[in-house]
Amino acid sequence: MSSSPIEALSWAGRGRSLSGAGLAVLSMCCVQFGAAWSQPASASLGALRATAWRLVFAALLLLLWKRPALPRLGGGAWSSILLLGAAMAGLLMSFFSATRTLPQGLAVAINLLGPLLLAWWTGSGPRRGWWPLLALTGILALSRHGERWAADAAGLGWAALGAACWAAYIAMLRRVGERCPGGDGVALALPAAALLVSPWCGFAAAPSGAVLLQLAGLSLLMPVLPYLLELAALRRMSTASFGVLMSLEPAVAVLAGALALGQSATPLQLVGLAMVTAASLGALSES
């Protein structure tokens, strides 16, 4: 028995939403497993230098796939693109620097404070002030591993810088979207980020061909594939639904840390993870 046209459209819409959700989850897996598999390169080259090479490769690969038109934009638009690139570069470099000494799930949870505080600053919900406090409580639980703290001052500093860069990234992403319709402004931000960090590539002799090939492959996992997957996901689902799914990023980070790096989580840390995820969902519901 054939379904009605309305039922067919409804099933088609659900199918698009489910495929969008699958793409969003795949994007998170690319980011977090790519970060975990980057640890050897970060250890051998240094987190900043390895991330700089990764951004250069990512920009080249993205320009090969999508050649954004160079529109005649005013100085304000180009400055916004450069600031977006700076926020993107700062987020990646601080995140990889933080994961050198912090468990991956903890680093991601601290990074989430940036969007949460931005939502608190711009929101108006009756409980908006509770979500950053809940996230901070969860981060404290994530920082405790048995009888010791799983955090150090340098890692916490880098993660806090990453949180600030993530908030700046969101703010600049909106501005670039308004000033550069069509998505070319966002596509130009990654080459801008690579240009800003390229001096780190020349601080020492060039890595071996094998290491460069590894970094090129890792640049696909983060940030090239997540960028493409998230764009495809947003075409299939609402921004709110996408945000709800992305709040699971700390959980994916803990999973990647456990499977790829052997970073076990205690029951207290799992409770902290649930708190951070709940804070993210709560802030999203009032944004």
Side-chain angles (χ1 to χ4, degrees):
M1 184 175 64
S2 61
S3 60
S4 68
I6 294 177
E7 289 174 331
L9 286 173
S10 176
W11 279 107
R14 291 174 188 173
R16 284 181 61 81
S17 296
L18 286 174
S19 66
L23 291 171
V25 172
L26 183 57
S27 169
M28 286 186 280
C29 290
C30 286
V31 168
Q32 297 307 326
F33 280 92
W37 291 331
S38 298
Q39 292 299 322
S42 295
S44 63
L45 295 180
L48 296 178
R49 190 160 168 250
T51 307
W53 276 106
R54 177 202 296 267
L55 276 168
V56 169
F57 281 121
L60 292 174
L61 290 169
L62 184 61
L63 288 174
L64 285 175
W65 177 81
K66 176 181 174 63
R67 298 179 182 177
L70 296 177
R72 296 179 180 177
L73 300 173
W78 282 110
S79 63
S80 296
I81 290 170
L82 284 174
L83 288 172
L84 177 60
M88 184 185 297
L91 174 59
L92 288 177
M93 297 189 86
S94 57
F95 173 70
F96 283 110
S97 296
T99 56
R100 295 289 298 125
T101 57
L102 297 184
Q104 195 164 314
L106 176 58
V108 173
I110 296 173
N111 277 182
L112 262 180
L113 281 177
L116 277 174
L117 290 173
L118 182 65
W120 169 79
W121 182 261
T122 58
S124 58
R127 294 178 299 276
R128 67 188 182 97
W130 289 101
W131 306 126
L133 291 176
L134 181 61
L136 281 171
T137 305
I139 287 168
L140 283 174
L142 276 167
S143 301
R144 193 72 178 171
H145 194 282
E147 299 299 320
R148 62 182 179 85
W149 292 99
D152 69 323
L156 289 173
W158 282 114
L161 178 60
C165 289
W166 199 348
Y169 174 81
I170 293 172
M172 294 311 305
L173 191 64
R174 291 173 181 166
R175 185 177 300 180
V176 169
E178 292 169 355
R179 297 186 175 183
C180 311
D184 282 340
V186 177
L188 287 167
L190 185 55
L195 182 65
L196 291 170
V197 302
S198 58
W200 270 275
C201 298
F203 281 162
S208 65
V211 173
L212 287 175
L213 186 62
Q214 180 188 21
L215 289 170
L218 289 170
S219 72
L220 272 174
L221 284 176
M222 182 183 180
V224 175
L225 276 177
Y227 169 77
L228 300 177
L229 289 169
E230 288 171 11
L231 282 180
L234 284 167
R235 294 190 185 103
R236 292 167 169 80
M237 59 194 306
S238 67
T239 303
S241 298
F242 179 81
V244 168
L245 271 176
M246 297 306 286
S247 68
L248 299 176
E249 188 110 34
V252 179
V254 169
L255 178 64
L259 295 179
L261 301 173
Q263 297 174 346
S264 60
T266 65
L268 178 62
Q269 287 177 316
L270 293 177
V271 171
L273 177 65
M275 289 181 179
V276 172
T277 302
S280 181
L281 289 170
L284 180 69
S285 68
E286 297 193 13
S287 62

